[in-house]
Structures are given as C-alpha cells and as structure tokens.
C-alpha cells in the first residue's frame, strides 16, 4: 500500500481521477455538456449518412457506440444519482439497449473516475479529524473500486487487520434532488427513452429513484442493514451447500462515520468478470445457481432482500471459490403477507394456471378488478412470459434465452404507453429489481440453472 501522505500518493498509470463536481451549477454544466456532446456526435454521424445517400435515424444516432462512450465518460466524472441511472442502464440485457451502448456503460458499475488524493484527504480529515492519518498503519489512495455514491479503499489497522473503507463522494447526498430534476430534462432527449413513456411516468419513476438514493446515501442506516443481513444469513443458512459459499464481511464500527463504512476486506473480483470463454461452464453455472438460491432464500427464509442488482456487489474469490456479498444501502424487509403473495404467484406461474395467476396478481397489487380488460390481459400475459424459466424442465439456458428482449418488446407499450393506469406497489418495484438483476446476471454469465431444483421447497 502507498503511504498515507496524499501529496506523495500519485495516481497509478491508467487510473482516471477527477474531482466530484459539487453544487447545482457545476452539475448542471456537466448535464448540458452531456446532452451537447451526444447531439454533436449524432449530427456528425447524420451528416456522414446523408453524404452516403442514407436517411438518418435520430434515435439510432443518439444510441450509437460513440455517444455511449461520451455519456459514460460524463456520468463517470459526475458520479452521484445520474451515474446510478447509467449503472442501471448498463444492466438491461439484450434487446433493451444496443449491445455496444450497454457495453460502454458497463464500467460505471465499479470503474468510475476517482477522487484526486487531495479531495480524498479532505474527506478523511472531515470524517476522522486532523489526526486521521494516525488511525491506520497503511491506507491505499488507489481505490479498489469506484462507483456512483462512493469509492472503496484498502486499509490496514495497527494490529494488522485488513479493512475495506467505503468513502462517500462529497456532496452526493445534497445533489440528489437537483440531479433528478436534471435527469427529467435529459430524459426528453430523443432516443434515450422509449417513445411511449409519458412525462408523468418519468416523474413517478424519478421520484421513487430519488427516495431510494437518499436512503442509499445514509451510511449509518446501511451499517445497520449490513449487520442485520449478516446475522440473518448466518442464522438461516443451515446445511445448504449453495449458500455455504456465501459470506458477508463484518462491519468494523470503530472506523465507521456518517460518510465512511468500514468492513473486513473481502478479496475477489465482480462476479460478471467470470463471463469469459476461459472460465469453465460448470463454474459459471455453480456461481449463478448460488445467487439464484440466494435470491429465493432472501425472499422466503430471511425475508430481508438486498435489492441492488449491481454485479459489483458480488465478489468472487477464485482462490477459495467463495462469494462475498457487499453493499447493503438498498436492503428491504419483506412482510409475511407479501411472502405468501409472491409464493402463490410463483406457483401459479410455474403451473401456467391463468385463473390463479389473475387472482394472485390482484392479491399482490399488480392488477385490480377495476382495470380495463385489455390492460389486465396485457399484464397477465407479461407475467406468463416471465414465468417461462419456472416452467422449463431441467436446466434453463440463460445465455441462449431471448426472454428479456421478448418481454421488453411486448411490455413497452403496455407499461409505458398512455393506456397504462397503474404501477406496482412500491415495495414490489424493488423486489422485482432484485429478481430482474439476478436474471440479468445469469444471462451475463451464460449460465444454465435448474430453477425447479433451486426453488424446491419454496414454491
């Protein structure tokens, strides 16, 4: 590890550093540049197409690989709420965004620009006091990961204990409201949102996201969630071999503050980096099965769900084969009644029993008796489509599946068009986010998983 002196901690070659822009004016300037850069990029490509006698498609031009790189660079510099949106965009899977666009945004999950050493030192002094450098034997100024809300640094205590310090980017919490307002403006850029998405739907989505982000920036609340989750997992893991490979690093409260979370250091790499040809299929299948089993275990046994689908929240250690679960800013408890709603809906989808699906959907709040028939039929149809992996006999091949593309194409007008009158209950939105994230991870790993075996005893 480098020394503690920030003046001598030069960023290593290839590491991108940039001060986090603070204040509404600075962040609005970055927003304007993002839109302007994308517009210029689209215009240049459009002129080239006209010169070749082609008719430009504005939406396609805005979603070009070049514009994806420009947007990713700008969001990486800004961090905060807008970068969180970029992370979610990168996880759409096939069929929702062009593959090159999603690939360019993928680095936002854990490879954002990092704070310069001097800005990091300012944060450490504010949180730990002027003698902060005496707190640790060593602290690396090169982060092991940097994402939307904070960046993670490795530290060593004087008694030799290795820690991970998650340091919140300065001003992130204060900037959430203004970022959401600016995102509403950016969302009107042609090609960035599905054409059927109305302004009121955008506002509703951004309001829910704002509330969640404000919760995720409350590091004291995250410490409590991490401790509760760790205790619940240990208490319920039993002798399940799939869950035995999972662990949650312990929180070290003595080094936690309002803007820093300290835990045991967990070795490993983000689990989606196993998606390489040289990684055996059996290993990818095993990891995917463990995470599918975890999702079911969270819902039905622990009744405490980590709802952030960011792949960087699962670290795989190739030396031990263990999976470390990190980042509990988005953790939701599940009411007993809701567990039974989801259990019955899962059974109905597995059996493809349309009447039971309809009743379970009403009980959960996805539909209601007063909904227009066409809308109701559309929602039930989408649910049946989503239940395809549950009905599959044997191992479901996520790598070959086109389910995400089919679901998005079929549901775009239904959920985002003018005819859709309701959104799911707020708690179900985040539970759906976890299930969708687990599915996307299986797709990314090109895994094959027998879901009937994973869910045995739960449905």
């Amino acid at each position: 590890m480098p020394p503690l002196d920030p003046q001598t901690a030069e960023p290593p070659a290839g590491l991108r550093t940039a001060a986090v822009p603070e204040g509404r004016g600075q962040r609005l300037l970055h927003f304007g540049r993002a839109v302007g850069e994308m517009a210029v990029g689209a215009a240049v490509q459009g002129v080239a197409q006209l010169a070749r006698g082609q008719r430009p498609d504005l939406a396609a031009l805005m979603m070009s690989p070049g514009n994806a790189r420009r947007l990713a660079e700008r969001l990486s510099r800004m961090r905060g709420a807008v970068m969180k949106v970029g992370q979610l965009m990168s996880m759409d899977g096939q069929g929702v965004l062009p593959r090159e666009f999603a690939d360019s945004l993928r680095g936002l999950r854990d490879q954002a620009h990092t704070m310069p050493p001097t800005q990091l030192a300012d944060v450490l002094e504010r949180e730990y006091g002027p003698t902060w450098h005496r707190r640790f034997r060593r602290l690396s100024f090169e982060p092991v990961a940097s994402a939307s809300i904070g960046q993670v640094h490795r530290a060593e205590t004087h008694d030799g204990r290795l820690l991970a310090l998650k340091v919140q980017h300065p001003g992130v919490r204060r900037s959430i409201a203004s970022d959401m307002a600016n995102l509403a403006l950016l969302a009107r850029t042609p090609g960035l949102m599905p054409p059927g998405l109305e302004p009121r739907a955008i506002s509703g989505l951004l309001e829910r996201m704002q509330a969640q982000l404000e919760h995720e920036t409350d590091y004291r609340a995250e410490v409590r969630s991490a401790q509760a989750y760790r205790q619940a997992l240990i208490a319920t893991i039993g002798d399940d071999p799939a869950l035995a490979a999972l662990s949650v690093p312990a929180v070290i409260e003595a080094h936690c503050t309002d803007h820093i979370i300290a835990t045991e250091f967990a070795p490993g790499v983000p689990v989606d980096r196993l998606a390489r040809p040289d990684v055996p299929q059996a290993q990818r299948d095993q990891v995917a099965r463990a995470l599918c089993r975890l999702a079911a275990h969270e819902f039905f046994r622990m009744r405490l769900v980590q709802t952030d689908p960011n792949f960087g929240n699962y670290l795989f250690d190739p030396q031990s084969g263990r999976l470390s679960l990190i980042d509990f800013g988005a953790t939701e408890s599940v009411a007993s009644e809701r567990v039974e709603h989801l259990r019955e809906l899962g059974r109905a989808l597995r059996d493809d029993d349309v009447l039971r699906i309809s009743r379970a959907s009403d009980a959960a709040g996805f539909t209601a008796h007063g909904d227009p028939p066409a809308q109701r039929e559309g929602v039930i149809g989408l649910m049946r489509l989503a239940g395809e992996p549950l009905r599959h006999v044997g191992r479901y091949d996520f790598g070959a599946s086109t389910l995400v593309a089919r679901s998005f194409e079929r549901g775009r007008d239904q959920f985002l068009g003018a005819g859709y009158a309701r959104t799911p209950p707020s708690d179900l939105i985040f539970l759906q986010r976890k299930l969708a994230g687990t599915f996307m991870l299986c797709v990314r790993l090109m895994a094959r998983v027998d879901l009937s075996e994973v869910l045995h005893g739960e449905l």
Side-chain angles (χ1 to χ4, degrees):
M1 296 185 199
L4 289 171
D5 183 1
Q7 302 301 326
T8 63
E10 292 295 329
L15 188 65
R16 303 179 303 168
T17 64
V20 180
E22 300 184 57
R24 185 169 185 173
Q26 286 190 42
R27 298 185 72 80
L28 181 60
L29 178 62
H30 278 268
F31 267 106
R33 287 175 177 172
V35 175
E37 288 164 355
M38 294 180 71
V40 169
V44 170
Q45 291 192 47
V47 169
Q49 290 182 7
L50 285 171
R52 295 194 297 268
Q54 300 172 345
R55 183 177 181 178
D57 181 337
L58 178 58
L61 292 174
M62 290 298 292
M63 302 292 276
S64 69
N67 266 351
R69 290 190 294 271
R70 297 181 188 97
L71 180 61
E73 175 74 11
R74 187 59 58 187
L75 297 184
S76 174
R77 287 178 174 273
M78 291 186 70
R79 283 146 283 188
V82 289
M83 184 176 156
K84 191 75 172 183
V85 174
Q87 290 176 346
L88 296 176
M89 289 172 65
S90 76
M91 298 179 63
D92 69 284
Q94 53 188 339
V96 182
L97 291 175
R99 182 176 298 277
E100 296 85 355
F101 199 96
D103 286 346
S104 292
L105 296 179
R106 187 166 293 129
L108 294 175
R109 297 179 201 158
D110 62 352
Q111 300 172 19
H113 280 74
T114 65
M115 289 183 278
T118 51
Q119 189 176 41
L120 173 61
D122 289 341
V123 174
L124 293 172
E125 181 171 347
R126 186 181 67 236
E127 297 301 310
Y128 288 143
T131 60
W132 64 268
H133 54 283
R134 299 177 186 170
R135 179 177 287 261
F136 305 105
R137 176 186 295 172
R138 288 186 175 84
L139 188 151
S140 174
F141 273 77
E142 178 186 353
V144 296
S146 181
S148 56
I149 294 175
Q151 59 190 54
V152 181
H153 293 262
R154 182 174 172 174
E156 182 183 349
T157 62
H158 290 287
D159 60 2
R161 195 172 194 180
L162 293 181
L163 305 182
L165 302 182
K166 185 163 74 168
V167 183
Q168 190 170 123
H169 295 310
V172 163
R173 187 176 180 85
R174 296 193 306 272
S175 70
I176 291 174
S178 61
D179 276 5
M180 290 296 106
N182 292 333
L183 272 173
L185 178 64
L186 182 63
R188 297 187 178 94
T189 303
L192 283 187
M193 289 288 180
L197 187 59
E198 294 186 347
R200 67 173 182 270
I202 295 175
S203 298
L205 290 171
L206 293 179
E207 286 174 7
R208 287 194 292 270
M209 184 174 291
Q210 178 174 337
Q212 180 61 33
L213 284 168
E214 288 173 347
H215 179 69
E216 290 185 31
T217 55
D218 184 345
Y219 274 11
R220 294 293 188 183
E222 181 173 347
V223 164
R224 294 191 294 271
S225 294
Q227 292 171 323
Y229 187 100
R230 185 171 188 267
Q231 292 170 2
L233 182 63
I234 292 173
T236 59
I237 202 168
D239 58 357
D240 190 323
L243 300 179
L246 306 176
S247 65
V248 177
V251 172
I252 312 301
E253 289 192 78
H255 299 294
C256 293
T257 72
D258 289 348
H259 300 96
I260 297 177
I261 297 177
T263 67
E264 296 173 329
F265 187 85
V269 297
V271 71
D272 63 323
R273 295 186 190 174
L274 297 178
R276 304 192 315 268
D278 61 321
V279 176
Q281 180 74 48
Q283 186 174 65
R284 287 184 275 119
D285 292 347
Q286 183 178 10
V287 169
R289 182 189 178 282
L291 294 178
C292 288
R293 182 67 190 133
L294 173 65
H297 189 75
E298 288 178 325
F299 278 109
F300 297 114
R301 305 288 175 175
M302 292 170 55
R303 301 188 179 185
L304 186 65
V305 181
Q306 197 273 38
T307 63
D308 188 345
N310 190 338
F311 301 160
N313 290 342
Y314 308 107
L315 301 180
F316 178 74
D317 181 8
Q319 300 299 320
S320 65
R322 295 188 64 79
L323 281 163
S324 295
L325 314 178
I326 61 173
D327 197 336
F328 295 91
T331 305
E332 302 284 335
S333 59
V334 187
S336 298
E337 182 183 30
R338 186 62 83 201
V339 170
E340 295 310 312
H341 288 159
L342 296 174
R343 195 189 306 275
E344 173 58 17
L345 182 58
R347 289 168 176 165
L349 290 172
R350 178 197 60 196
D351 300 337
D352 199 24
D353 186 326
V354 178
L355 180 59
R356 285 180 68 192
I357 294 172
S358 179
R359 290 173 177 169
S361 176
D362 285 348
F366 287 109
T367 53
H369 291 295
D371 290 342
Q375 176 182 307
R376 184 183 186 86
E377 291 173 6
V379 173
I380 300 302
L382 276 168
M383 287 184 173
R384 294 178 67 192
L385 185 60
E388 174 185 295
L390 297 177
R391 296 187 294 272
H392 185 81
V393 178
R395 292 190 296 173
Y396 186 81
D397 190 339
F398 286 89
S401 173
T402 60
L403 180 58
V404 173
R406 286 182 281 130
S407 297
F408 179 80
E409 183 177 353
R410 182 169 177 175
R412 178 171 47 197
D413 294 334
Q414 175 70 23
F415 280 97
L416 303 180
Y420 189 68
R422 72 170 63 249
T423 56
S426 59
D427 65 319
L428 288 179
I429 290 175
F430 294 109
L431 297 181
Q432 285 179 304
R433 180 186 179 197
K434 175 57 176 268
L435 293 178
T438 303
F439 187 97
M440 298 300 183
L441 180 54
C442 292
V443 171
R444 175 70 177 150
L445 294 177
M446 299 171 288
R448 297 175 297 189
V449 180
D450 185 342
L451 291 180
S452 64
E453 187 268 334
V454 167
L455 294 170
H456 179 70
E458 307 296 359
L459 297 182

